[in-house]
Amino acid sequence: MSRVLVIGIDSLAPGLLAKWEGDLPHFTGLRQQGTQAKMRSIFPVDSIPAWISLLSGLNPAQHGLIYSFDVFGSSWKDILGIDPDRFKGHTFFVDSG
């Protein structure tokens, strides 16, 4: 069985890791020993639909969650109020057996 570690840091531009590699030895080591891929985001380019797409393999039109969360103008009640029954599809890490 193969194992894959995906490290996702929301809104972190990969170029910043290269720029500050001397100050970030652990990230530098992971970058040097691992594999990197340049990827495009989905539309709408927003954290919630993008993470759901990454985890489910579906685009927002397929998974149905196109919620946009303004971290400066919304309260956590907004995001915690998302109904999980709205999700379509399954994430890759859910055991279906």
Side-chain angles (χ1 to χ4, degrees):
M1 176 165 106
S2 297
R3 294 180 183 235
V4 175
L5 172 66
V6 176
I7 298 175
I9 301 176
D10 207 333
S11 301
L12 175 62
L16 295 178
L17 292 177
K19 179 179 178 181
W20 294 323
E21 67 183 358
D23 297 318
L24 301 168
H26 297 293
F27 280 114
T28 300
L30 287 170
R31 287 177 61 233
Q32 291 172 347
Q33 295 174 28
T35 301
Q36 299 177 59
K38 194 169 194 170
M39 300 174 5
R40 293 181 303 192
S41 189
I42 48 84
F43 182 83
V45 182
D46 195 63
S47 295
I48 294 172
W51 282 107
I52 299 304
S53 292
L54 174 75
L55 297 174
S56 68
L58 303 173
N59 69 45
Q62 295 169 317
H63 62 63
L65 194 61
I66 309 175
Y67 185 83
S68 179
F69 180 68
D70 179 3
V71 295
F72 299 109
S74 299
S75 72
W76 280 103
K77 289 181 184 177
D78 295 336
I79 195 167
L80 295 175
I82 295 174
D83 181 7
D85 291 332
R86 290 184 52 205
F87 291 86
K88 297 178 183 116
H90 300 282
T91 58
F92 64 86
F93 53 84
V94 173
D95 181 10
S96 59

